[in-house]
């Protein structure tokens, strides 16, 4: 709980201190965004991608374990 509160505090400090607008280009569009907001978005996208990969990994691992148990029970007869 304390670590989470410290991370939120650090995030707020970064957002407040980095208000200068920077150009952001992606494919065909360009927009000026405050650096802090850009860092926040990048962090959230990274977090979401990590969670998605984790979910997919756990689902695959669970399927493999289930198949392994079925195989073991068939071998035992």
């Amino acid at each position: 709980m304390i670590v989470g509160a410290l991370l939120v505090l650090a995030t707020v400090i970064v957002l407040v201190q980095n208000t200068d607008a920077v150009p952001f280009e992606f494919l065909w569009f360009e927009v000026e965004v405050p650096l802090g907001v850009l860092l926040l978005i990048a962090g959230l996208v990274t977090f979401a991608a990590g969670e998605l990969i984790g979910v997919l990994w756990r689902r695959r691992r669970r399927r493999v374990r289930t198949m392994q148990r079925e195989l073991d029970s068939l071998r035992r007869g």
Side-chain angles (χ1 to χ4, degrees):
M1 191 78 137
I2 294 172
V3 172
L6 290 174
L7 286 173
V8 168
L9 180 63
T11 302
V12 169
I13 291 170
V14 167
L15 288 173
V16 169
Q17 288 183 341
N18 292 288
T19 57
D20 295 337
V22 294
F24 175 72
E25 297 178 32
F26 182 71
L27 297 177
W28 60 86
F29 73 93
E30 180 178 342
V31 65
E32 295 247 342
V33 182
L35 180 60
V37 172
L38 194 59
L39 291 172
L40 181 63
I41 291 170
L44 291 174
V45 167
T46 303
F47 176 77
E51 287 297 311
L52 178 64
I53 290 169
V55 165
L56 295 175
W57 181 265
R58 286 187 296 275
R59 181 184 294 168
R60 181 181 175 278
R61 185 69 188 135
R62 195 175 314 129
R63 187 177 41 204
V64 168
R65 280 193 219 137
T66 302
M67 292 171 65
Q68 186 65 42
R69 277 189 233 119
E70 289 177 9
L71 183 60
D72 289 344
S73 68
L74 289 173
R75 285 181 178 163
R76 283 187 239 130

